[in-house]
């Protein structure tokens, strides 16, 4: 099923991520927007928490005002090195609100690859998380900023902020409210191919929301449902199936950040319908697990990132909505229902 192009154009006219969040904040501000997985503390040192739509909007606003202190030229790049969880979402939306262009970097890239991406993007700021398992993104960003002379500000989320990196949580909590200057327009997002390190490629909010609308029409989530995603990268496939659908439909988003089977099981025990997003390579494991038959599982979205044959065995459960996102490039996807 595909959304009619004229109908999609009408629905998306004038919409962006901020507009959608603003509507949700006014109508359902105290309901949960983002929720951490139960085991988050083990891989990030951050205790699991949740953010309501109102809290998310307030944090985005504080970070956007903080970024604006640097007086960067409108549209300048902000490199982001974090799994596609609350921090990456916060950094992405705050950059856009400040008139800047978020540049989403792959966590697994080595320093030379990341340096090339930062230099091609012309990023003047960099934001990241303190720890993701054995990875230390902030140490990497600090080293890169010393070599990419255009990057003049590095900020970090988390409890362990190294010297030379600005502690974002403490700065955002300070009482001083920095003015958010008027912007000539919203800059686009830039995404990277995690396999080839090609990019960054431009991605407009309209393109992102168009694909999210197409996907949400297939999933038709109930308001009480939640999206559980195991995707950590920040390409169009991950953004559309996670943040995009969550803001369009107003349902709770639970990004695992770092995959743990125990966390995934816990996400199903809340008694709420679950729309699960997985890499296509994980389909055989899901097909042979008890989760495939769990009554809370309402749909599965498989992200196929290669042109190879689909993995087997395939999941086979009558009545279950199964959707494939075929990622042809970091900023180009096709959505198909089986």
């Amino acid at each position: 099923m595909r959304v009619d192009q004229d109908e999609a154009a009408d629905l998306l006219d004038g919409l962006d991520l901020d507009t959608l969040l603003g509507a949700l904040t006014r109508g359902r501000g105290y309901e949960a927007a983002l929720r951490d997985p139960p085991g988050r503390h083990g891989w990030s040192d951050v205790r699991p928490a949740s953010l309501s739509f109102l809290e998310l909007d307030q944090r985005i606003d504080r970070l956007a005002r903080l970024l604006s202190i640097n007086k960067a030229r409108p549209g300048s790049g902000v490199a982001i090195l974090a799994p596609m969880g609350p921090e990456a979402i916060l950094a992405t939306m705050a950059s856009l609100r400040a008139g800047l262009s978020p540049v989403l970097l792959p966590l697994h890239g080595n320093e030379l690859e990341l340096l090339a991406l930062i230099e091609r993007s012309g990023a003047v700021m960099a934001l990241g998380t303190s720890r993701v398992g054995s990875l230390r993104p902030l140490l990497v960003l600090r080293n890169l900023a010393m070599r990419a002379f255009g990057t003049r500000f590095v900020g970090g989320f988390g409890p362990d902020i190294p010297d030379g990196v600005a502690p974002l949580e403490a700065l955002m909590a300070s009482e001083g409210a920095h003015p958010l200057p008027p912007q000539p327009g919203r800059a686009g997002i830039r995404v990277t191919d995690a396999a080839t390190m090609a990019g960054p490629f431009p991605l407009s909010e309209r393109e992102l929301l168009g694909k999210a609308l197409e996907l949400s029409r297939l999933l038709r989530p109930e308001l009480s449902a939640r999206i559980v995603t195991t995707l950590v990268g920040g390409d169009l496939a991950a953004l559309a199936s996670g943040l995009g659908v969550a803001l369009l439909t107003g349902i709770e988003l639970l990004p695992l950040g770092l995959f743990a089977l125990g966390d995934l099981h816990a996400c199903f025990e809340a008694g709420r319908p679950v729309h699960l997003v997985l890499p296509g390579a994980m389909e055989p494991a899901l097909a042979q697990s008890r989760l495939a038959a769990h009554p809370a599982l309402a749909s599965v979205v498989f992200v196929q990132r290669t042109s190879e044959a689909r993995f087997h065995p395939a999941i086979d459960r009558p009545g279950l909505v199964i959707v494939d996102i075929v990622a042809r490039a970091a900023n180009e996807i096709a959505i198909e229902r089986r």
Side-chain angles (χ1 to χ4, degrees):
M1 174 183 173
R2 296 182 63 85
V3 179
D4 179 85
Q5 294 300 313
D6 291 336
E7 181 185 3
D10 290 340
L11 289 171
L12 297 174
D13 191 36
L15 283 185
D16 56 40
L17 299 176
D18 256 348
T19 305
L20 289 170
L21 179 59
L24 289 166
T25 299
R26 291 189 296 273
R28 298 166 46 215
Y30 294 101
E31 296 181 29
L34 296 174
R35 190 177 301 276
D36 280 323
R40 167 155 189 180
H41 187 263
W43 57 263
S44 72
D45 300 327
V46 174
R47 297 204 173 275
S50 65
L51 285 175
S52 68
F53 292 111
L54 178 59
E55 289 169 329
L56 176 61
D57 183 68
Q58 291 172 339
R59 285 169 63 83
I60 288 169
D61 199 66
R62 288 198 293 268
L63 181 56
R65 293 172 186 275
L66 180 61
L67 296 179
S68 71
I69 295 175
N70 289 278
K71 301 186 184 301
R73 181 171 52 86
S76 295
V78 179
I80 298 170
L81 191 60
M84 190 44 61
E87 290 84 4
I89 290 171
L90 174 61
T92 297
M93 295 187 66
S95 299
L96 291 168
R97 189 174 292 187
L100 304 170
S101 174
V103 182
L104 299 167
L105 302 176
L107 273 171
H108 66 276
N110 63 44
E111 287 197 14
L112 285 177
E113 292 169 326
L114 294 175
L115 179 61
L117 288 169
I118 286 177
E119 289 183 333
R120 288 199 296 269
S121 72
V124 299
M125 288 177 257
L127 308 176
T129 51
S130 59
R131 184 169 80 88
V132 184
S134 61
L135 302 176
R136 298 295 189 274
L138 289 181
L139 292 177
V140 173
L141 288 178
R142 185 183 66 180
N143 292 342
L144 294 177
M146 295 172 65
R147 300 165 70 180
F149 297 109
T151 306
R152 58 177 184 260
F153 175 85
V154 180
F157 298 96
D160 185 16
I161 306 298
D163 292 340
V165 176
L168 293 176
E169 299 287 357
L171 293 173
M172 289 163 59
S174 64
E175 294 184 6
H178 308 287
L180 195 59
Q183 302 295 340
R186 289 174 68 84
I189 301 169
R190 283 180 274 175
V191 294
T192 304
D193 188 305
T196 65
M197 295 294 167
F201 302 106
L203 173 66
S204 71
E205 291 177 83
R206 189 179 184 86
E207 290 173 305
L208 165 58
L209 292 175
K211 290 301 182 182
L213 176 60
E214 190 175 339
L215 182 57
S216 64
R217 287 289 185 87
L218 296 176
L219 302 182
R220 299 186 181 278
E222 302 174 18
L223 202 56
S224 61
R226 58 171 38 165
I227 301 169
V228 176
T229 175
T230 66
L231 304 183
V232 297
D235 60 3
L236 174 55
L239 288 166
S241 60
L243 176 63
V245 172
L247 289 181
L248 273 176
T249 61
I251 67 175
E252 180 182 280
L253 176 61
L254 206 158
L256 292 192
L258 192 67
F259 179 77
L261 188 59
D263 285 351
L264 185 55
H265 278 277
C267 296
F268 280 73
E269 301 308 320
R272 303 169 64 177
V274 171
H275 297 272
L276 180 62
V277 183
L278 292 170
M282 294 183 67
E283 182 169 4
L286 179 64
Q288 298 179 73
S289 74
R290 287 179 293 177
L291 281 181
H294 199 289
L297 186 61
S299 73
V300 186
V301 177
F302 291 113
V303 178
Q304 317 288 351
R305 297 191 184 276
T306 68
S307 57
E308 300 172 358
R310 299 287 163 80
F311 297 91
H312 293 282
I315 190 168
D316 182 17
R317 175 177 148 186
L320 180 67
V321 175
I322 303 176
V323 177
D324 289 302
I325 295 179
V326 182
R328 297 169 178 159
N331 60 345
E332 181 184 356
I333 63 175
I335 298 173
E336 307 167 351
R337 178 169 177 172
R338 291 189 193 175

